[in-house]
């Protein structure tokens, strides 16, 4: 089969608009799987994906579709829809020539619909708009087609309407893929050039690399070179996804598949790298991927200190499969040795933690999430801070800058008032209002990232009865009246619970955290003060009263001075214990405090 009969495409959409269901129907229609093998979300092979009903990792599959006397090879890449996995979408788009833009017939154009369309246009892909779920009673395909034209500038004549559940319109879409998406361009006789768009670690075979062949070909026994590191490896197996890994004789121009070589360490692979021939022949590397910018940081610590090495190995293997995860070792006075990890968002953070616990069987303690800040020091230097412990003393800070995003909220027009109030409460700066149709509107605000990473999305859904959707893009760092709130237990700072917040919120959040700690820390034989402080100024305090022992219980009558003497002795002992004694904070207390979200923020 010539590469002229090959089509590489992906499916992009907002969350829960039916990408995986449509991909399942393509697999059935082309015979990649039979009815007996069919199950919902065939390409979502992670337990977390199936439990949550979302796509987390991009998945590739090769479909053979016969039209007339010609058989076409359709390489499909299914992509996530959530904003936190935007980087997965970008990687998939770079491996394709076209994209199916899926829009729910009931929900219409939503935030990630617009964002993913612009990503596809930046990659110069041919976009085929498809309206899904037309079998629903609430479907309004004609109105949604008008929304697509209004918001994306795509003619309604080019829109396809399908129901993956009832197999309606599937052949029309497959034919459109063949007719409208261009075949791959490349030189079969040129030296090998392949783009690494994903990878994973196998305990038995080492590193498996997912590639898109741009020029040349590769087969078992060939020597290949990683352009980023210069290391040379021997190919042991090449193949395609059908949908499981299926070995083939070779991969050639336009093919999307995998190769397994003598790669044994995760450091030898970089997502976006170019695979070239193992000879000294000079080739032009392919444009790779821009490194993702982590937006949320938190500390991950093993509950058992002797599992630190296991956690490091688990993070390295996970980073191979998720290149948007960054981490570096750190030490906490309270929690011991662990890692400072960077994520693209809160959902990404939750998924990484769950994957680590499930796949590596490590019990983790997670510190409170926070965003990255920039600090202009008095000496003119700019310091990038991803943890409250790294914030210098106030006398060294000239300007405190916080990350700001441009948020687009798409919703029914009847909810404009409550959602504008929500954005204003989160220190949002109003930018624009744009009507897609008389009943649907895009509201644009500039918002501090720290104000939306906790529960903004939940409150947005609650206020709009589930109809509003949010997408945001990082704008930059802007100066703000920010402070670091320290938590002191018995006059000693507890680094794991420090937070950075706006000065107006400092007292309220410090008081609430101190109150929570008072409920969680057990009573000791001495009084324990819990304080929230800005520098040397205490802004909130709670006190855990001492447990009392009846030292006069053995006294039966007699002189009252004897009882007084015993009570004075006890008082002196408590005073001495308070100055030299250490407060024991159980791990369960840390766990409940750190994992409890700041829902009143």
């Amino acid at each position: 089969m010539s590469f002229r009969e090959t089509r590489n495409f992906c499916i992009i959409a907002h969350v829960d608009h039916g990408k995986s269901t449509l991909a399942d129907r393509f697999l059935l229609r082309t015979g990649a799987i039979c009815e007996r093998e069919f199950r919902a979300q065939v390409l979502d092979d992670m337990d977390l994906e199936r439990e949550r009903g979302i796509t987390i990792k991009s998945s590739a599959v090769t479909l053979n579709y016969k039209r007339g006397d010609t058989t076409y090879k359709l390489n499909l890449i299914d992509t996530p829809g959530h904003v936190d996995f935007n980087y997965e979408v970008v990687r998939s788009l770079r491996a394709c020539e076209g994209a199916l833009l899926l829009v729910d017939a009931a929900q219409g154009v939503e935030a990630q619909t617009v964002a993913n369309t612009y990503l596809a246009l930046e990659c110069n892909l041919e976009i085929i708009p498809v309206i899904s779920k037309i079998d629903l009673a609430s479907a309004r395909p004609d109105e949604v087609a008008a929304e697509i034209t209004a918001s994306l500038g795509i003619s309604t004549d080019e829109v396809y309407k399908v129901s993956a559940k009832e197999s309606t319109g599937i052949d029309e879409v497959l034919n459109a893929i063949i007719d409208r998406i261009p075949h791959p361009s490349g030189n079969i006789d040129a030296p090998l050039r392949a783009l690494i768009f994903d990878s994973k670690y196998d305990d038995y075979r080492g590193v498996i690399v997912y590639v898109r062949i741009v020029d040349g070909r590769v087969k078992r026994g060939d020597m290949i070179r990683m352009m980023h590191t210069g290391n040379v490896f021997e190919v042991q197996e090449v193949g395609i996804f059908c949908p499981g890994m299926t070995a083939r004789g070779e991969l050639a121009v336009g093919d999307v598949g995998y190769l397994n070589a003598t790669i044994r360490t995760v450091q030898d692979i970089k997502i976006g790298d170019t695979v070239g021939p193992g000879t000294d022949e000079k080739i032009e590397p392919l444009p790779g991927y821009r490194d993702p910018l982590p937006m949320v940081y938190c500390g991950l610590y093993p509950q058992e200190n002797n599992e630190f090495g296991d956690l490091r190995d688990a993070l390295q293997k996970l980073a191979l499969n998720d290149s948007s995860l960054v981490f570096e070792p750190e030490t906490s006075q309270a929690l011991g040795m662990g890692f400072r990890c960077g994520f693209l968002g809160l959902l990404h953070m939750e998924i990484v933690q769950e994957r680590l616990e499930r796949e590596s069987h490590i019990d983790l303690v997670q510190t409170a999430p926070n965003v990255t800040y920039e600090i202009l020091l008095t000496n003119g230097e700019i310091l990038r801070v991803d943890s409250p412990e790294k914030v210098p003393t106030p006398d060294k800070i000239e300007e405190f800058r916080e990350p700001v995003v441009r948020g687009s909220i798409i919703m029914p027009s009847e909810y404009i008032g409550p959602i504008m109030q929500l954005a204003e409460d989160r220190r949002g700066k109003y930018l624009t209002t744009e009507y897609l149709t008389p009943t649907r509107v895009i509201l644009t605000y500039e918002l501090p990232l720290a104000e939306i990473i906790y529960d903004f999305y939940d409150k947005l859904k609650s206020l709009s009865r589930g109809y509003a959707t949010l997408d945001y893009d990082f704008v930059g760092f802007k100066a703000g009246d920010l402070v670091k709130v320290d938590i002191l237990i018995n006059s000693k700072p507890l680094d794991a619970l420090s937070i950075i917040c706006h000065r107006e919120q400092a007292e309220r959040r410090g008081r609430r955290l101190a109150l929570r700690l008072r409920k969680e820390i057990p009573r000791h034989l001495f009084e324990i003060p819990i304080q929230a402080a800005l520098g040397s100024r205490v802004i909130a305090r709670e006190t855990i009263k001492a447990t009392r022992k009846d030292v006069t219980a053995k006294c039966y009558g007699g002189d009252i001075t004897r009882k007084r003497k015993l009570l004075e002795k006890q008082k002196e002992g408590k005073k001495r214990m308070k100055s030299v004694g250490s407060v024991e904070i159980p791990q369960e207390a840390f766990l409940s405090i750190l994992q409890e979200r700041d829902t009143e923020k």
Side-chain angles (χ1 to χ4, degrees):
M1 187 185 296
S2 166
F3 68 85
R4 298 184 184 280
E5 280 77 52
T6 298
R7 301 291 185 271
N8 295 320
F9 71 101
C10 59
I11 305 177
I12 55 176
H14 189 82
V15 181
D16 200 30
H17 276 210
K19 296 180 300 298
S20 297
T21 307
L22 182 61
D24 293 346
R25 191 55 60 183
F26 283 161
L27 290 169
L28 272 175
R29 175 63 186 84
T30 57
I33 59 172
C34 62
E35 288 285 354
R36 180 174 55 82
E37 300 170 313
F38 177 76
R39 58 177 171 80
Q41 295 176 263
V42 173
L43 297 182
D44 294 342
D45 51 10
M46 286 170 51
D47 290 339
L48 274 175
E49 292 178 312
R50 305 184 64 77
E51 289 171 14
R52 291 174 177 253
I54 60 173
T55 301
I56 296 169
K57 288 291 300 175
S58 298
S59 301
V61 64
T62 298
L63 312 171
N64 292 315
Y65 180 63
K66 190 169 184 179
R67 189 172 74 170
D69 296 330
T70 307
T71 300
Y72 292 88
K73 183 192 295 181
L74 310 180
N75 292 318
L76 159 65
I77 302 179
D78 185 25
T79 64
H82 197 280
V83 63
D84 280 14
F85 305 112
N86 178 267
Y87 186 62
E88 291 281 333
V89 178
V90 173
R91 289 180 0 201
S92 301
L93 293 173
R94 293 284 178 85
C96 301
E97 282 78 35
L100 296 185
L101 177 66
L102 212 58
V103 184
D104 190 307
Q107 300 292 335
V109 173
E110 301 201 55
Q112 280 301 106
T113 311
V114 179
N116 288 336
T117 302
Y118 288 140
L119 288 176
L121 290 173
E122 288 175 12
C123 296
N124 298 315
L125 300 191
E126 176 67 31
I127 297 176
I128 301 175
V130 178
I131 297 176
S132 64
K133 304 184 183 180
I134 60 171
D135 58 297
L136 293 177
S138 58
R140 45 188 185 88
D142 294 334
E143 291 180 39
V144 171
E147 287 181 18
I148 292 173
T149 301
S151 59
L152 306 176
I154 299 173
S155 170
T156 52
D157 298 333
E158 302 173 354
V159 176
Y160 294 84
K161 300 173 183 178
V162 304
S163 167
K165 184 178 179 181
E166 297 182 351
S167 298
T168 305
I170 300 299
D171 282 328
E172 287 81 354
V173 175
L174 289 170
N175 288 325
I177 291 168
I178 293 170
D179 295 334
R180 294 178 54 178
I181 295 178
H183 62 73
S185 59
N187 186 351
I188 192 80
D189 298 318
L192 172 68
R193 285 201 308 166
L195 174 69
I196 300 176
F197 68 89
D198 206 351
S199 59
K200 74 172 187 177
Y201 187 85
D202 186 278
D203 289 335
Y204 300 100
R205 296 194 285 178
V207 179
I208 297 174
V209 183
Y210 296 7
V211 293
R212 153 72 195 271
I213 309 298
V214 177
D215 288 315
R217 61 184 76 199
V218 61
K219 61 182 184 301
R220 180 178 180 177
D222 287 353
M223 303 302 292
I224 57 172
R225 182 188 302 272
M226 301 297 164
M227 302 301 291
H228 179 72
T229 61
N231 294 335
V232 177
F233 305 98
E234 181 183 350
V235 177
Q236 297 176 325
E237 180 181 304
V238 299
I240 58 176
F241 304 98
C242 294
M245 289 192 292
T246 306
R248 287 288 184 268
E250 69 172 17
L251 295 177
V253 170
D255 283 342
V256 174
Y258 70 92
L259 62 85
N260 179 219
T262 53
I263 308 168
R264 295 294 177 260
T265 61
V266 296
Q267 291 81 9
D268 289 324
I269 291 297
K270 178 177 172 61
I271 303 297
D273 195 7
T274 301
V275 180
T279 62
D280 294 331
E281 190 172 1
K282 298 294 182 183
I283 64 168
E284 183 70 23
L286 298 166
Y289 303 118
R290 184 177 60 193
D291 289 335
L293 180 66
M295 305 299 283
V296 178
Y297 282 84
C298 81
L300 290 179
Y301 296 84
Q303 287 193 20
E304 303 294 334
N305 289 332
N306 58 4
E307 292 184 336
F308 174 78
D310 296 333
L311 178 57
R312 181 186 58 234
D313 295 341
L315 282 167
Q316 288 177 344
K317 291 178 182 178
L318 191 59
L320 181 69
N321 191 237
D322 182 0
S323 57
S324 55
L325 169 67
V326 298
F327 59 93
E328 61 180 19
E330 70 170 4
T331 303
S332 165
Q333 295 175 1
L335 301 173
M337 296 179 65
F339 290 90
R340 193 76 190 163
C341 302
F343 311 94
L344 299 181
L346 276 192
L347 178 62
H348 185 210
M349 182 185 74
E350 290 176 18
I351 294 298
V352 167
Q353 182 184 359
E354 283 198 51
R355 289 187 66 184
L356 286 170
E357 290 182 337
R358 290 189 184 202
E359 297 171 14
S360 304
H361 309 291
I362 300 173
D363 292 325
L364 298 174
V365 177
Q366 172 192 306
T367 64
N370 62 272
V371 299
T372 309
Y373 296 89
E374 267 189 3
I375 296 177
L376 176 63
L377 302 177
T378 51
N379 62 6
E381 293 182 18
I382 294 179
L383 180 66
R384 191 64 82 80
V385 171
D386 57 29
S387 170
E389 302 120 66
K390 298 178 182 178
V391 176
T393 53
D395 60 297
K396 295 180 181 179
I397 299 175
E398 181 71 29
E399 189 175 74
F400 216 139
R401 300 168 182 166
E402 62 183 337
V404 174
V405 298
R406 180 187 176 95
S408 299
I409 305 169
I410 299 182
M411 61 191 159
S413 55
E414 63 197 90
Y415 301 113
I416 286 182
I419 290 177
M420 287 186 75
Q421 184 62 52
L422 174 65
E424 297 289 341
D425 291 343
R426 298 303 175 93
R427 300 190 285 127
K429 177 184 175 185
Y430 171 78
L431 297 178
T432 61
T433 301
E434 178 186 348
Y435 279 84
L436 295 174
T437 68
T439 59
R440 284 180 63 81
V441 63
I442 301 179
L443 199 60
T444 307
Y445 267 87
E446 203 171 80
L447 292 152
L449 181 62
E451 295 287 349
I452 67 173
I453 65 166
Y454 282 94
D455 62 340
F456 183 85
Y457 190 74
D458 294 339
K459 289 189 179 297
L460 187 70
K461 286 292 186 184
S462 177
L463 288 172
S464 65
R465 297 184 181 179
Y467 287 109
T469 58
L470 169 71
D471 177 56
Y472 57 84
D473 295 307
F474 178 66
V475 174
F477 291 91
K478 296 192 176 182
D481 189 10
L482 305 169
V483 291
K484 175 191 174 185
V485 178
D486 288 311
I487 301 298
L488 292 83
I489 308 291
N490 202 20
S491 302
K492 296 177 182 177
L494 195 65
D495 55 353
L497 295 180
S498 298
I499 58 172
I500 299 171
C501 66
H502 196 269
R503 190 180 297 275
E504 292 178 355
Q505 302 171 348
E507 183 176 339
R508 176 164 50 87
R509 295 188 65 186
R511 188 174 301 282
R512 195 161 59 247
L513 195 52
L515 184 62
R516 238 186 277 161
L517 278 169
R518 183 171 69 83
K519 294 177 181 178
E520 295 293 340
I521 297 176
R523 295 170 70 183
H524 288 51
L525 290 173
F526 53 93
E527 191 177 85
I528 304 172
I530 302 171
Q531 298 167 307
L534 297 181
S536 59
R537 184 168 70 91
V538 175
I539 59 174
R541 172 178 172 134
E542 294 287 339
T543 304
I544 300 175
K545 298 296 183 183
T547 57
R548 292 188 175 185
K549 181 180 179 183
D550 188 0
V551 294
T552 63
K554 59 186 177 180
C555 298
Y556 297 97
D559 193 352
I560 188 65
T561 57
R562 186 182 176 203
K563 290 186 178 181
R564 286 176 180 167
K565 183 178 178 181
L566 288 170
L567 290 170
E568 285 297 323
K569 186 177 179 182
Q570 182 190 46
K571 185 177 178 181
E572 288 298 319
K574 285 182 180 290
K575 186 185 296 184
R576 185 173 66 254
M577 190 179 291
K578 183 176 179 179
S579 62
V580 300
S582 60
V583 180
E584 293 185 6
I585 305 176
Q587 195 79 294
E588 294 76 16
F590 266 111
L591 223 55
S592 61
I593 294 166
L594 294 174
Q595 291 181 347
E596 184 176 341
R597 288 201 180 172
D598 208 352
T599 53
E600 299 175 26
K601 188 171 179 292

